[in-house]
Amino acid sequence: MDTNGGGTTGKLDGRVIVITGAARGQGEQEARLFAAEGAGVLLGDVLDEQGAAVAREIGEDRARYVRLDVSREEDWEAAVAAAKAAFGRVDGLVNNAGILRFNELTATPLAEFQELVQVNQVGTFLGIKALAPELAAAGGGTIVNTSSYTGLTGMAYVGAYAATKAAVVGLTRVAALELAAKNIRVNAMCPGAVDTPMAHPGLLDPAGMSDEARAAMAELYRRVVPLGRVGRPEEIARLALFLTSDDSSYVTGQPFVIDGGWTAGVSPF
């Protein structure tokens, strides 16, 4: 299956990667691309029907699905066990799962702030904690955390989200320092706007948007993004592949911005 737009090259042959939030969006595209590049992938999510369907489409020889609430330590333990039972070991992790809420900072309920911390920040921490010993046992490996460009710069009305994504960058740097001696590389992706369900608040599926709403959103991104469009989840997947493969063998502890140039200068607004 060619999911990278240019043919596969076996960059992940023989490797086993755990990917969270893999039922749709960026995580789904990462799972499909990694499997096409030769990896065995364990897809984790709380969207059981969608996640299981993606795993079936990829094929049992390459993919398994497991329910994984990233904020629950016991779910991580079960996911590690499932990956080892299916593929024998684990070589990598993509901490992709995350949630987004829009609100004024001073109007954000404590419960909402804590919800984002549990998923985006604690979930990333638990993933590193659960997988690092397995990667060390395999002789080394990679961890790719998903931050956001809002973790590096400000954006109004996403205070809780930005705070958790800034924390992910901090966790990435510390983990890279502590795990380098075990041949484990840790990096972070910092996407801008990407065309996934999470980017469309109030909608379960961006395909359900009206033509007028889609046109308005396209115009917004045309104006604020130098490349003139929203990002595609498969573009994020290709960055995740780079950071997981040997192409990035001398890279660790770094946040990689992938935002079409949005943060390169002053907004035209």
Side-chain angles (χ1 to χ4, degrees):
M1 180 190 302
D2 178 0
T3 59
N4 68 359
T8 58
T9 56
K11 290 178 182 289
L12 300 180
D13 278 350
R15 299 196 63 195
V16 178
I17 314 295
V18 174
I19 303 174
T20 69
R24 63 183 185 180
Q26 293 171 194
E28 176 186 350
Q29 293 304 315
E30 289 157 0
R32 292 184 184 277
L33 177 59
F34 283 25
E37 289 288 349
V41 291
L42 183 83
L43 293 76
D45 211 308
V46 294
L47 301 174
D48 295 329
E49 290 187 12
Q50 290 172 261
V54 173
R56 284 195 301 271
E57 289 176 15
I58 293 172
E60 193 173 78
D61 60 327
R62 290 287 185 201
R64 298 286 196 284
Y65 173 78
V66 65
R67 182 174 182 82
L68 173 54
D69 177 343
V70 296
S71 69
R72 292 169 55 88
E73 196 161 15
E74 55 268 37
D75 280 19
W76 277 106
E77 294 170 357
V80 169
K84 293 172 71 174
F87 302 111
R89 68 173 201 254
V90 185
D91 304 285
L93 166 66
V94 179
N95 267 320
N96 169 74
I99 58 175
L100 171 64
R101 302 287 184 268
F102 291 89
N103 219 331
E104 282 189 56
L105 188 59
T106 56
T108 300
L110 176 59
E112 180 177 296
F113 194 98
Q114 290 175 328
E115 178 189 24
L116 270 76
V117 169
Q118 282 297 116
V119 175
N120 298 351
Q121 182 175 337
V122 174
T124 299
F125 158 71
L126 289 177
I128 296 170
K129 183 179 179 182
L131 270 296
E134 302 298 329
L135 305 187
T142 56
I143 298 173
V144 179
N145 297 323
T146 305
S147 179
S148 165
Y149 76 112
T150 65
L152 302 174
T153 187
M155 180 178 177
Y157 307 112
V158 293
Y161 180 79
T164 62
K165 292 304 186 176
V168 168
V169 173
L171 281 169
T172 297
R173 288 172 168 150
V174 171
L177 293 172
E178 293 186 5
L179 298 175
K182 298 178 181 178
N183 195 32
I184 299 172
R185 298 187 295 106
V186 189
N187 290 289
M189 301 187 297
C190 300
V194 182
D195 193 9
T196 67
M198 191 181 77
H200 303 278
L203 293 171
L204 293 177
D205 184 352
M209 296 179 71
S210 68
D211 290 342
E212 293 79 7
R214 272 201 167 276
M217 185 165 290
E219 174 61 16
L220 168 66
Y221 292 129
R222 188 191 68 76
R223 295 177 64 184
V224 302
V225 178
L227 289 184
R229 62 173 175 83
V230 68
R232 298 186 292 267
E234 57 268 27
E235 292 174 310
I236 311 304
R238 288 195 288 271
L239 177 57
L241 174 63
F242 169 72
L243 294 174
T244 300
S245 74
D246 289 341
D247 287 345
S248 59
S249 58
Y250 197 53
V251 177
T252 195
Q254 302 305 311
F256 285 78
V257 177
I258 176 168
D259 68 351
W262 196 342
T263 56
V266 177
S267 167
F269 274 148

